[in-house]
Amino acid sequence: VQLVEFGGGSVQNGGSLTLSCQLRGYQFDDRCMGWFRHREGQSIEWVASIGDASTLTYAESVKGRFTISKDHAKKTLLLEMDSLKPEDTAMYVCAARAAAGECYTDFGRYTYRGQGTQVTVSS
């Protein structure tokens, strides 16, 4: 199984980016997938997760600005990010669980992880 992220980059305060995560060799179904971020000098932080289409959860810091979704046809996990702020600057990592069941905010619960894509928001 390999997870590969795309779509990071540099934007100005208030801008938008969409991150993509291709899941290769993974049976793309309703198992939980998520996005995490690692800001410099801080521990990894949960951003959002999705199980089936009705099971979406977001960290308070991104609620209303970020949207997580699955494209089953393309076997891709997406994160649409709007109204970006400088504090959103981080390495964003996608992750997927091996087991079925509920979603978690603990990065350690996700067996499969990508290498990350950098997002930089300037003020």
Side-chain angles (χ1 to χ4, degrees):
V1 176
Q2 185 181 20
L3 278 61
V4 182
E5 298 97 337
F6 299 93
S10 298
V11 295
Q12 292 193 327
N13 190 17
S16 299
L17 281 174
T18 297
L19 305 183
S20 301
C21 174
Q22 290 183 354
L23 289 89
R24 303 170 180 175
Y26 180 84
Q27 184 173 343
F28 203 91
D29 50 24
D30 288 338
R31 282 177 290 174
C32 189
M33 302 173 193
W35 286 96
F36 294 78
R37 66 186 180 186
H38 193 183
R39 290 185 278 192
E40 189 172 349
Q42 299 186 26
S43 56
I44 196 160
E45 173 191 15
W46 170 72
V47 174
S49 57
I50 179 170
D52 59 30
S54 63
T55 309
L56 311 173
T57 50
Y58 298 93
E60 283 299 320
S61 59
V62 306
K63 195 175 292 184
R65 300 188 296 122
F66 290 12
T67 303
I68 190 171
S69 62
K70 290 180 178 178
D71 185 332
H72 285 264
K74 296 181 179 179
K75 297 185 178 181
T76 298
L77 177 69
L78 301 168
L79 185 68
E80 298 176 56
M81 306 185 294
D82 296 316
S83 302
L84 282 161
K85 305 174 182 179
E87 51 264 43
D88 294 318
T89 294
M91 179 72 74
Y92 284 73
V93 180
C94 64
R97 296 205 69 225
E102 62 183 286
C103 287
Y104 297 92
T105 60
D106 179 0
F107 191 58
R109 293 277 195 166
Y110 293 77
T111 303
Y112 307 113
R113 303 145 181 199
Q115 292 298 307
T117 186
Q118 178 67 35
V119 172
T120 302
V121 185
S122 57
S123 56

